[in-house]
Amino acid sequence: MIQISVQKKLLAADGEIKLNVNISLKKGKLTTIYGPSGAGKTSLLRIISGLLKADKGRIVVNQKTWLDTDKKISLKPQERKLGFVFQDYALFPNMTVKENLLFALDKGQDKKIITNLIAITELESLKDRKPENLSGGQKQRVALARALVRKPDILMLDEPLSALDPAMRNKLQDYILKVHKEYNLTTVLISHEVGEIVKMSDTVLILEKGEVIKQGNPFDVFTNKQISGKFQFTGEIINIKKEDIIYVVTILIGSSFVKVVAEENELKDINIGDTVIVASKAFNPIFQKVK
């Protein structure tokens, strides 16, 4: 179990906000933090990692205290057993893929984990290349593998897939889930993509103006719980076309298109660009707008 209780005054675009978060993270689960820009999401991750100083707080990870401002305990970032994947990859440009991973090893640590990580992230054919010769998706795999070298108690991902195209984004979501389960990680992800959150997360926390306003199972958090069925997926409405007395709604799911027949009353408050969850009901597909 990971206990995080922190407070920090932050300067956002529309003025000062107070980050005030008190949460528990279950070991082995993937938790996503969702919310508007300036809500304090990245600042929270930086406080957990020790890169940003909290005004007040306590962080206990697997019974080890990382932070306790009352007792004047604050471990340095390198003393906190975590992996951090940034949006910009932060790879060493003068090192090969393998050298980037080797650099992350602790002194005396078994190098076998490098071989394992290269295999699980499918980097074998790229291990001797430098970052300048890698695509964005390949760089992200290297950054993910490097973050796992020290077998972290927490893996933190700050919108790691935001700059990638839908097909690559979907593939790397699968990689992240694969290593999350393989290494039984406790993972914290920042994401703005509802579909990504529903696909990947055990729990989602909605952060607004520094406060957690809602948390729970992603499907329950983002819908009114009125949809049930054998299948559920999330996508973006890209077209609504009337044909006789019915409407055909085209939904983008990852890199694929799905067309759903709807009646006029089902399209109330539904517009092109909306994110919806599609499910089955009595063998017929239905959809609901994500809040």
Side-chain angles (χ1 to χ4, degrees):
M1 184 68 75
I2 298 168
Q3 302 286 341
I4 300 167
S5 178
V6 295
Q7 297 176 9
K8 175 74 175 178
K9 287 184 179 179
L10 300 171
L11 187 62
D14 55 352
E16 186 177 88
I17 66 168
K18 184 176 182 180
L19 182 67
N20 185 11
V21 173
N22 190 346
I23 56 175
S24 298
L25 305 179
K26 291 183 179 180
K27 184 176 174 61
K29 300 297 183 180
L30 194 154
T31 300
T32 297
I33 303 172
Y34 174 85
S37 298
K41 302 184 299 297
T42 297
S43 294
L44 177 59
L45 260 59
R46 287 173 60 82
I47 288 172
I48 296 170
S49 68
L51 295 172
L52 181 65
K53 184 178 178 181
D55 297 333
K56 183 177 176 61
R58 188 167 184 264
I59 300 173
V60 180
V61 180
N62 300 332
Q63 301 182 326
K64 182 174 182 179
T65 301
W66 285 11
L67 174 71
D68 191 325
T69 53
D70 290 340
K71 295 181 179 179
K72 294 182 169 49
I73 297 172
S74 182
L75 300 187
K76 296 177 181 178
Q78 60 268 31
E79 296 173 326
R80 305 185 187 202
K81 198 174 180 184
L82 57 82
F84 205 144
V85 180
F86 300 91
Q87 294 181 47
D88 61 358
Y89 317 125
L91 301 176
F92 295 111
N94 60 325
M95 295 183 182
T96 64
V97 167
K98 187 173 183 178
E99 288 168 344
N100 264 277
L101 301 189
L102 287 169
F103 187 84
L105 281 170
D106 280 327
K107 186 176 181 181
Q109 186 180 354
D110 190 345
K111 295 182 181 180
K112 184 179 179 181
I113 191 167
I114 302 297
T115 303
N116 293 341
L117 286 169
I118 286 175
I120 198 172
T121 52
E122 299 180 20
L123 291 170
E124 181 64 35
S125 63
L126 307 172
K127 66 181 180 180
D128 296 319
R129 293 190 191 180
K130 292 185 177 180
E132 63 182 8
N133 297 316
L134 301 176
S135 68
Q138 291 166 343
K139 289 177 184 176
Q140 196 59 277
R141 274 189 279 157
V142 178
L144 176 62
R146 188 180 63 181
L148 297 174
V149 168
R150 295 177 182 173
K151 298 182 179 179
D153 288 328
I154 308 176
L155 173 64
M156 300 197 299
L157 309 168
D158 189 357
E159 293 192 75
L161 312 179
S162 59
L164 303 175
D165 64 74
M168 181 54 66
R169 189 183 189 105
N170 187 62
K171 188 172 183 179
L172 284 184
Q173 288 168 358
D174 293 338
Y175 274 118
I176 291 171
L177 286 172
K178 182 179 179 181
V179 298
H180 169 77
K181 293 174 183 176
E182 180 84 11
Y183 288 93
N184 191 31
L185 297 168
T186 302
T187 303
V188 181
L189 168 71
I190 291 178
S191 176
H192 284 105
E193 296 292 327
V194 174
E196 182 170 275
I197 296 169
V198 172
K199 173 182 176 179
M200 299 180 68
S201 311
D202 297 297
T203 301
V204 60
L205 307 176
I206 309 295
L207 195 66
E208 284 190 11
K209 296 182 179 179
E211 302 270 355
V212 176
I213 62 166
K214 198 172 184 181
Q215 60 183 303
N217 174 277
F219 185 78
D220 295 340
V221 167
F222 288 122
T223 71
N224 294 321
K225 303 185 184 181
Q226 296 171 343
I227 292 181
S228 61
K230 295 295 183 182
F231 69 84
Q232 298 165 354
F233 53 81
T234 307
E236 178 185 347
I237 293 181
I238 61 169
N239 190 40
I240 300 174
K241 183 179 180 181
K242 185 175 183 179
E243 295 187 2
D244 295 326
I245 61 173
I246 55 120
Y247 289 81
V248 176
V249 182
T250 304
I251 303 170
L252 178 64
I253 311 293
S255 57
S256 301
F257 297 99
V258 173
K259 292 189 176 183
V260 177
V261 174
E263 296 180 2
E264 187 172 1
N265 66 310
E266 294 178 286
L267 296 175
K268 184 180 179 181
D269 299 325
I270 298 289
N271 299 291
I272 292 174
D274 286 346
T275 298
V276 295
I277 287 180
V278 182
S280 64
K281 187 174 182 180
F283 303 104
N284 292 317
I286 59 174
F287 55 87
Q288 181 183 97
K289 184 176 179 179
V290 171
K291 294 184 287 183

